[in-house]
Amino acid sequence: MLRSRFPAVFTLTLFALLIQGVGFVRAEDPPEKAKAKADSKRYLRISRDEKKQPLALETSVVRFVPRGNDRPGLQVDLVSAVHVGEKAYYDALNKRFDEYDVVLFELVAPTGTKIPKGGGQRRSLVSTIQTGMKDMLDLEFQLECIDYTKKHFVHADLTPDEFAKSMENKGESFWTIFMRLMTASMAQQASNPGQSTDLDLLMALFDRDRSLKLKRVMADQFTNMDIMMNALNGPDGSTLITERNKAALAVLEKEIEAGRKKIAIFYGGGHMADMQSRLIKEFDLKPTSEQWFEAWNLRAKK
């Protein structure tokens, strides 16, 4: 039975990672800081009606402020994202971004890269898969909808050379990531046998409302990925999450030193648990509020 369910679990999880990103929190953190692990679902959830039917996949904006009074007016918002979503979702985020002094965004790209409106041409394997998924799910692609041309948007990620060097130093490759996913997906299915299976995927593919059913199956994967998070990072972290988060927060430190007060970090939802842990531990910030945005409409059509 486990073997029969494995292909769907692995495939859906891989797609989920490409669309959402992944996160990790160190288990050895003291209680207050280890609480970030319990808060991992603070950044992504499925809202449901009174009959437990899915309404929407939602992402959050969580605000952090200093614990003391030494940095008055500072606020750092973790703006969680999925990389394909409804157009209205990205429109709402574009409007929200106008409220900040600076928006730090993720993109493994050379220093000085400018993203034109509409996203420009994307030739990577990841972008090709993401584009295929957004068409299958009847959604829009983040790079095509978010306006990165605004002057207060600042790149806060690794360059391709830095990414490759970090993977080399850690002994990582896309093959090792693949193998970790395979192992973890089997463990995930064993710990949660009620999760989406190959039958769910097959039925969704042949349903008259294929995009809705696929979105529901994938949303279920998004909100049950704790095992995958830890597997991808391993005990020493990973380039995919840990090192990219470090790069983003190095830029954050520079922006704070430059006097910026209202700062957003716009990253995939899977990065946020680790981001939260680092903001608490390294920047002495605390979460104060959260606001939710509807990324995918999961309601059945009437």
Side-chain angles (χ1 to χ4, degrees):
M1 181 64 72
L2 177 60
R3 182 177 300 174
S4 70
R5 292 181 176 184
F6 168 71
V9 173
F10 173 71
T11 302
L12 290 169
T13 301
L14 179 59
F15 285 151
L17 294 172
L18 291 171
I19 292 174
Q20 179 201 6
V22 290
F24 167 78
V25 177
R26 285 182 174 80
E28 68 269 22
D29 282 341
E32 183 181 58
K33 293 165 185 177
K35 182 177 181 294
K37 183 171 184 180
D39 288 343
S40 61
K41 292 188 178 181
R42 145 179 281 172
Y43 298 97
L44 192 75
R45 72 183 184 189
I46 297 177
S47 61
R48 300 179 183 273
D49 61 19
E50 64 278 2
K51 296 181 180 179
K52 304 300 181 181
Q53 294 301 304
L55 298 175
L57 177 70
E58 300 176 332
T59 65
S60 66
V61 176
V62 179
R63 176 157 298 172
F64 291 77
V65 300
R67 292 184 180 278
N69 299 319
D70 56 325
R71 293 164 291 173
L74 176 65
Q75 62 182 53
V76 179
D77 287 4
L78 292 185
V79 183
S80 178
V82 289
H83 301 320
V84 296
E86 310 282 352
K87 185 178 184 303
Y89 169 63
Y90 296 120
D91 289 344
L93 290 181
N94 277 323
K95 184 177 180 180
R96 175 67 177 245
F97 290 145
D98 289 336
E99 301 175 8
Y100 297 101
D101 299 331
V102 62
V103 176
L104 310 185
F105 67 90
E106 67 171 316
L107 184 67
V108 177
T111 302
T113 295
K114 302 294 183 182
I115 305 175
K117 284 190 175 181
Q121 292 185 343
R122 302 180 306 281
R123 299 178 180 178
S124 71
L125 175 61
V126 171
S127 64
T128 299
I129 295 175
Q130 288 177 333
T131 300
M133 288 303 296
K134 70 106 174 175
D135 292 338
M136 185 177 294
L137 298 173
D138 194 22
L139 296 170
E140 302 298 328
F141 190 38
Q142 177 180 312
L143 289 180
E144 296 174 351
C145 296
I146 295 295
D147 185 1
Y148 290 90
T149 65
K150 295 176 180 178
K151 293 182 179 179
H152 67 307
F153 270 58
V154 174
H155 180 248
D157 207 334
L158 298 176
T159 67
D161 288 343
E162 291 169 339
F163 188 91
K165 184 64 175 178
S166 176
M167 291 191 73
E168 180 183 350
N169 291 341
K170 288 180 174 293
E172 296 175 330
S173 67
F174 287 105
W175 174 249
T176 63
I177 292 174
F178 179 84
M179 293 304 295
R180 286 178 183 176
L181 278 173
M182 286 183 61
T183 303
S185 59
M186 294 178 69
Q188 183 187 43
Q189 182 61 56
S191 66
N192 189 7
Q195 201 170 355
S196 302
T197 67
D198 49 354
L199 179 59
D200 297 314
L201 178 61
L202 185 64
M203 292 179 65
L205 286 170
F206 289 96
D207 194 273
R208 287 189 299 176
D209 195 352
R210 183 179 66 175
S211 63
L212 173 63
K213 294 302 175 64
L214 283 174
K215 281 189 288 189
R216 286 182 170 182
V217 172
M218 292 196 66
D220 179 52
Q221 288 287 317
F222 280 2
T223 54
N224 292 280
M225 295 182 68
D226 291 344
I227 295 176
M228 308 306 296
M229 311 295 100
N230 290 283
L232 275 172
N233 279 281
D236 299 319
S238 70
T239 299
L240 193 62
I241 296 300
T242 312
E243 298 308 316
R244 293 177 66 200
N245 282 4
K246 287 180 181 179
L249 295 183
V251 178
L252 171 64
E253 187 170 9
K254 292 179 181 179
E255 294 297 331
I256 293 175
E257 291 175 353
R260 305 289 190 268
K261 296 294 186 182
K262 296 182 178 181
I263 304 172
I265 302 178
F266 181 43
Y267 255 73
H271 287 261
M272 293 308 186
D274 180 67
M275 285 274 195
Q276 171 173 309
S277 179
R278 294 178 184 279
L279 289 181
I280 292 172
K281 180 167 58 176
E282 300 170 15
F283 289 80
D284 197 26
L285 302 179
K286 62 180 181 180
T288 60
S289 64
E290 61 188 52
Q291 181 180 355
W292 291 90
F293 290 79
E294 181 175 313
W296 294 3
N297 179 6
L298 302 179
R299 300 168 184 83
K301 295 180 181 179
K302 296 182 180 180

